[in-house]
Every structure is written in structure tokens, then in C-alpha cells.
Amino acid sequence: MKEKHMTNNHIIAILKTMGDDVGLALREKHLPVKLLYALRRSLPEIEAAYKAYNSSLTEICQRYSVTPGSLEDCAEDKQAQMAAEINELLNTETTVRVHTIAPEALNACGAGGFDPLTYAEIDRLWWLIDEEEG
């Protein structure tokens, strides 16, 4: 496992793309063991980081008497201040332990009985790729 530095924005994007139809289908594919293991081992770490973000977002919303889904209900004189706090939270960098893979691990997809990956599916795996090896 490697520690990766990601903003909360990146964490939200990972969960959003891994939770859409393409991301869910990706998790059901017959993938090389290293790739599948990295994905299954790392997603809970991303989800844990999201929980910390969400807890902080909830605290901010409570201070401004709004719910996360209705941020526009904030008092007009406090909107800019609340937006600044949420923006700061979104851009806050956090360390997430991720089981990374070498970029070459993707080459096995589509060969040897493994399912091929589409560009959209590969794009969802950027956070698992070990930058030091590729």
C-alpha cells in the first residue's frame, strides 16, 4: 500500500465514477488478480476518506442551518462565507492508503481470458496507477 495525496474533490470523483454504470460494470469484469485485488483493497480506503469529508461538510452545513442537499437555502449574507469553507474543504488534501499497480498490469486485460477494458473503464482506474512505475 502506498500513501497517495488527494484532494477531497478527487475522492468524490473516484466514488462517483466507480459508482456509475461503467464503474459498477468494471467491478464485475474478469480482471487480472493484481488489478482486481488493488481495486477491492483500495476502495474501502477511499470510502473512509469520504466519510471524514462528509462529516466535515455536515458540520459546516449545521453551522449555517442548511442541509448538504440544499446549500442554496443559506442566509444570503452568509452564502459567500459558507461557500468559501466548502471550497476549502473540497480542496483540502488528504492522505489515502492505496494498493497501487504498475501501468503494465492493465496490459493483461483483454488477453489470456481476461475481459478487455474500454477507455472509460481505464479512465476510472487512474488513482490505482503507481506513478513511480509509469
Side-chain angles (χ1 to χ4, degrees), residues 44-123:
E45 299 287 335
I46 296 293
E47 290 166 347
Y50 175 78
K51 285 180 184 176
Y53 156 81
N54 197 44
S55 176
S56 296
L57 176 63
T58 299
E59 284 180 21
I60 292 170
C61 290
Q62 286 174 346
R63 275 191 274 127
Y64 292 95
S65 302
V66 297
T67 59
S70 61
L71 300 178
E72 64 277 354
D73 293 340
C74 181
E76 218 173 289
D77 61 330
K78 301 287 185 177
Q79 285 179 354
Q81 186 176 351
M82 182 183 73
E85 287 185 39
I86 291 172
N87 191 45
E88 181 180 354
L89 178 61
L90 287 169
N91 290 306
T92 297
E93 195 172 86
T94 188
T95 303
V96 182
R97 291 177 48 93
V98 177
H99 189 89
T100 59
I101 57 168
E104 296 78 31
L106 298 176
N107 294 340
C109 296
F114 295 116
D115 290 333
L117 294 177
T118 65
Y119 177 75
E121 291 167 334
I122 293 170
D123 191 47

Side-chain angles (χ1 to χ4, degrees), residues 15-71:
L15 289 176
K16 183 177 179 184
T17 59
M18 291 307 298
D20 69 10
D21 290 343
V22 174
L24 292 172
L26 173 62
R27 293 195 237 178
E28 298 301 318
K29 285 193 164 202
H30 179 59
L31 301 172
V33 172
K34 286 183 180 182
L35 175 56
L36 187 59
Y37 178 80
L39 189 58
R40 288 183 177 158
R41 180 70 175 96
S42 300
L43 268 174
E45 299 287 335
I46 296 293
E47 290 166 347
Y50 175 78
K51 285 180 184 176
Y53 156 81
N54 197 44
S55 176
S56 296
L57 176 63
T58 299
E59 284 180 21
I60 292 170
C61 290
Q62 286 174 346
R63 275 191 274 127
Y64 292 95
S65 302
V66 297
T67 59
S70 61
L71 300 178

